[in-house]
Amino acid sequence: MFDVERTGSEVRKLKYNDSKCLGCGICTEVCPTTSLRLGPVVPIARGLIEMDLLSVNADSCVLCGLCSSACPFDALSLTIDGTSVKEMDNYPIWEVESEICDDDCVYCGRCSIACPRDAILFERKLPDRESLLRGEINIDDEKCIYCGFCEELCPPGAITISNVPTSSVDLMNNSIEVDTSKCVYCGICKRVCPQDAIIEICSTCMLQDQIEVPEITGTAYIVKDSCVNCSWCAEICPVDAVNVTKPFAGKLEVVETEESICKGDSCHACQDVCSCNAVEIVDGKAETNLTFCNLCGACIGACPQHIRKLTRTSMKLTNINSESWNECLNKILDE
């Protein structure tokens, strides 16, 4: 974390949030005063060094805001008199989004499990099981010998038996209970009982028209501060309820030579720094799944063999009103 502040006719303040930084180096590419510097990204990603991914030379930084505008992941934020430049009409705007449509979401939770950044808040409320079932069950205490067959075989664990000796007079303190909130009236207990002590009737099928259709409610929400627009959530959603727009279009290639080859198994630096969980080691080589890659470029600088090539053909950054800024920001692209 760092803050750089200048006070004059206006108060300018640049804030850096390391938890949002991917170590991609985009900000260092566009900085006109070379005031920003990436740290050792791979050791930091591996937890070998505790330090920020990015540092700034406060003496040379002019607080122009180019880095803040160029960062698609909101790790850098410039404010002028307390207002973020990202809220000002004359500064560039990233037209990216990641949203879950409440009307289409079925609250399966797959997006939350797949998200590599834990950026999806998910919870759901299921109806009570007993409200979806109809039936009766009764155990005859006089016939029951407390053998425990029903308790051990009950699929939902709805039966509890106690037969613990309490005294020499009353050798067994016997009890058997059925938790009807768990019972599904499957009839297994009735079939295994050697004493025919259990009476069970399932009427769910016969009375199904009287049982209300279950309502499942919940919340699935993408935390924008943590999202890196990798699209895992959109790809894994079975009902197409998620919409993700990536910041860049382009491609990423591995170009090996006789002198430089991928050492995926022994190196895996690209995999360690990838915030999108898009790199996989296959047959001893690192492969990037572009479906999930956001083309941030962190893996490019991390590769010790320098065989990864990133080509960005376009970006979702609009409203660039200055020719000098346009020249700097186009350094991100490789047209």
Side-chain angles (χ1 to χ4, degrees):
M1 303 286 183
F2 62 70
D3 292 349
V4 181
E5 186 173 343
R6 295 278 191 280
T7 303
S9 58
E10 58 187 15
V11 178
R12 289 183 170 235
K13 190 171 185 177
L14 177 66
K15 292 184 177 182
Y16 166 68
N17 188 336
D18 186 66
S19 66
K20 298 182 181 181
C21 182
L22 307 190
C24 63
I26 289 175
C27 56
T28 64
E29 292 181 51
V30 302
C31 179
T33 60
T34 62
S35 299
L36 296 171
R37 181 179 179 181
L38 277 179
V41 177
V42 176
I44 294 172
R46 290 174 174 169
L48 302 176
I49 301 176
E50 289 189 12
M51 63 180 293
D52 287 349
L53 290 165
L54 187 69
S55 61
V56 64
N57 184 338
D59 293 332
S60 60
C61 177
V62 295
L63 296 172
C64 64
L66 258 171
C67 59
S68 173
S69 296
C71 179
F73 313 110
D74 205 27
L76 289 156
S77 177
L78 178 74
T79 58
I80 301 176
D81 292 332
T83 302
S84 172
V85 296
K86 295 175 183 179
E87 300 175 10
M88 298 180 179
D89 294 336
N90 57 330
Y91 277 82
I93 300 170
W94 280 101
E95 293 184 340
V96 296
E97 66 175 340
S98 51
E99 294 182 334
I100 299 175
C101 177
D102 289 335
D103 293 337
D104 296 331
C105 181
V106 295
Y107 309 112
C108 66
R110 297 183 69 190
C111 58
S112 178
I113 296 170
C115 180
R117 301 279 290 184
D118 294 328
I120 299 179
L121 298 179
F122 169 77
E123 64 176 0
R124 67 183 174 199
K125 184 177 181 182
L126 299 175
D128 294 331
R129 183 188 302 163
E130 56 188 321
S131 68
L132 305 177
L133 299 168
R134 293 291 186 274
E136 297 179 16
I137 185 168
N138 182 57
I139 299 177
D140 190 333
D141 291 332
E142 293 184 1
K143 290 183 178 182
C144 181
I145 59 174
Y146 308 98
C147 60
F149 295 166
C150 57
E151 180 183 35
E152 290 187 38
L153 290 172
C154 179
I159 300 176
T160 303
I161 291 178
S162 174
N163 50 8
V164 181
T166 57
S167 69
S168 59
V169 178
D170 182 12
L171 292 179
M172 301 295 281
N173 180 25
N174 302 318
S175 68
I176 181 168
E177 295 180 358
V178 179
D179 186 345
T180 54
S181 68
K182 294 180 179 180
C183 181
V184 295
Y185 306 104
C186 62
I188 289 178
C189 58
K190 176 182 177 180
R191 293 197 295 273
V192 301
C193 180
Q195 299 297 109
D196 293 327
I198 301 176
I199 299 173
E200 177 273 333
I201 299 173
C202 177
S203 55
T204 301
C205 296
M206 292 186 294
L207 302 176
Q208 59 182 302
D209 292 338
Q210 300 177 21
I211 301 174
E212 293 184 3
V213 176
E215 181 182 6
I216 299 173
T217 59
T219 300
Y221 175 76
I222 299 176
V223 181
K224 301 299 176 65
D225 285 348
S226 302
C227 178
V228 293
N229 301 87
C230 65
S231 80
W232 268 100
C233 52
E235 292 296 326
I236 206 168
C237 180
V239 293
D240 297 326
V242 186
N243 181 34
V244 174
T245 305
K246 294 190 177 186
F248 302 108
K251 61 182 180 179
L252 192 154
E253 302 171 285
V254 175
V255 183
E256 295 182 312
T257 65
E258 291 183 1
E259 295 78 21
S260 300
I261 61 173
C262 178
K263 300 180 179 180
D265 274 331
S266 58
C267 174
H268 52 79
C270 53
Q271 186 179 47
D272 292 341
V273 303
C274 180
S275 63
C276 300
N277 197 19
V279 181
E280 185 179 3
I281 307 300
V282 179
D283 296 330
K285 303 284 186 177
E287 294 186 2
T288 301
N289 189 331
L290 292 181
T291 300
F292 305 117
C293 176
N294 62 11
L295 300 179
C296 74
C299 61
I300 305 301
C303 178
Q305 303 300 317
H306 307 293
I307 58 175
R308 300 177 73 82
K309 181 182 178 182
L310 172 65
T311 303
R312 301 191 191 103
T313 55
S314 64
M315 57 183 173
K316 294 289 185 177
L317 186 62
T318 62
N319 198 44
I320 306 173
N321 298 316
S322 164
E323 283 299 324
S324 60
W325 273 47
N326 188 57
E327 182 178 347
C328 288
L329 290 170
N330 274 327
K331 292 178 182 178
I332 302 172
L333 301 179
D334 301 277
E335 294 182 291

